[in-house]
Amino acid sequence: MRNNIKKGLFVFIFIILLLPFAEQNFPFIKSGQLLGYFTNAPDVTFSSTKWLDGSYQKEKGDFYNDHTGFRPDLIRLNSQIDFSLFNKPSYGGTVVGKENCLYFDNYIYAYYGKDFMGYNYLFEKSLKLKAIQDTLTKMGKTFVLVYSPCKASYFREYIPEELKSKETEQTNYKTLLRLGDSLGINQIDLNAWFVSIKNKSKEALFTKQGIHWTNYGSFIGGDSL
């Protein structure tokens, strides 16, 4: 009886391991595609040069990895398990804030000025932008510097406590905005505008689980620009 159970488990595990290979070569179930931006590795043609320098093996391995049977379903399952059981987002750089609000960590660092490049550096860049604007103006063209919305500014109330810091005026965004104002650079601050209409907008401009602004937000941003 015990041997039969062991054999049954062995056969079951073997079938589970064999299924992705079978699906890859003889598709019998259509998986829902993964959403978002990504690029699957293309197949590679064998050559002795690529074989000897090792690039063929790597590129072929990447191709098989991206085209494994049931890959979209397995990625979704793994991501859901990580998030539901361990509160861990599977995409690198993503952090979970309060009420399961998702952020990219670099947005939060930028909001608190952790990536501040320094006044002198930003002043030099602003002078160059002003020179570009003046040149384009002489050519009959309009230059506009647009500050895109930042989710950390929009949903600052959901930033996780462990990543919170003292708010400062020394951020790239605030410094560039002040410099652009003083130099006369044409600029539109969509970030501040989105925050100001956050509770007035009829549709969501950001969602808690989305990293970027919504399609609706991009439409009204583009229309206003």
Side-chain angles (χ1 to χ4, degrees):
M1 177 67 178
R2 186 175 297 177
N3 286 336
N4 288 337
I5 293 175
K6 288 181 179 179
K7 290 178 181 178
L9 285 173
F10 174 79
V11 171
F12 175 74
I13 293 172
F14 182 76
I15 291 174
I16 292 296
L17 293 174
L18 190 64
L19 278 174
F21 174 79
E23 170 65 16
Q24 178 180 342
N25 292 277
F26 311 101
F28 52 91
I29 293 179
K30 185 174 178 60
S31 298
Q33 294 300 306
L34 293 173
L35 302 180
Y37 175 77
F38 58 91
T39 303
N40 287 325
D43 201 356
V44 57
T45 304
F46 175 82
S47 73
S48 57
T49 303
K50 284 193 170 187
W51 175 267
L52 292 174
D53 66 17
S55 60
Y56 172 80
Q57 294 90 322
K58 182 185 183 306
E59 292 175 19
K60 198 69 172 179
D62 291 342
F63 168 76
Y64 279 125
N65 178 73
D66 290 351
H67 294 82
T68 299
F70 303 115
R71 183 172 185 268
D73 301 312
L74 294 172
I75 288 177
R76 278 190 286 266
L77 176 62
N78 180 70
S79 298
Q80 191 64 56
I81 290 173
D82 280 347
F83 187 78
S84 298
L85 298 184
F86 306 106
N87 201 37
K88 173 188 170 186
S90 58
Y91 193 82
T94 308
V95 295
V96 182
K98 298 173 184 176
E99 297 189 20
N100 286 333
C101 188
L102 302 180
Y103 303 86
F104 273 147
D105 53 6
N106 55 357
Y107 294 170
I108 298 176
Y109 300 147
Y111 177 70
Y112 288 117
K114 300 295 185 182
D115 61 350
F116 185 55
M117 297 177 181
Y119 179 85
N120 291 337
Y121 177 85
L122 296 175
F123 180 63
E124 180 186 343
K125 293 295 182 185
S126 297
L127 287 176
K128 291 179 179 179
L129 285 176
K130 181 62 166 67
I132 291 172
Q133 175 179 294
D134 291 345
T135 300
L136 289 173
T137 300
K138 292 176 182 177
M139 299 168 63
K141 302 179 186 298
T142 302
F143 172 88
V144 181
L145 178 60
V146 181
Y147 298 86
S148 62
C150 173
K151 189 174 182 180
S153 296
Y154 188 84
F155 275 143
R156 66 193 73 180
E157 66 269 29
Y158 298 126
I159 294 175
E161 291 296 330
E162 64 271 17
L163 291 181
K164 279 189 174 181
S165 183
K166 184 178 180 180
E167 295 196 20
T168 175
E169 293 299 308
Q170 286 194 328
T171 69
N172 296 322
Y173 159 63
K174 292 178 180 178
T175 303
L176 282 171
L177 199 59
R178 290 195 302 270
L179 286 169
D181 243 358
S182 64
L183 292 172
I185 296 175
N186 302 324
Q187 48 188 11
I188 295 180
D189 187 1
L190 292 182
N191 184 57
W193 181 51
F194 268 40
V195 172
S196 70
I197 63 172
K198 175 180 175 180
N199 298 318
K200 304 173 186 176
S201 175
K202 64 179 182 179
E203 301 289 347
L205 304 175
F206 278 95
T207 60
K208 289 181 181 178
Q209 277 68 58
I211 295 297
H212 302 289
W213 41 344
T214 61
N215 285 339
Y216 176 76
S218 68
F219 291 151
I220 65 167
D223 178 70
S224 301
L225 174 61

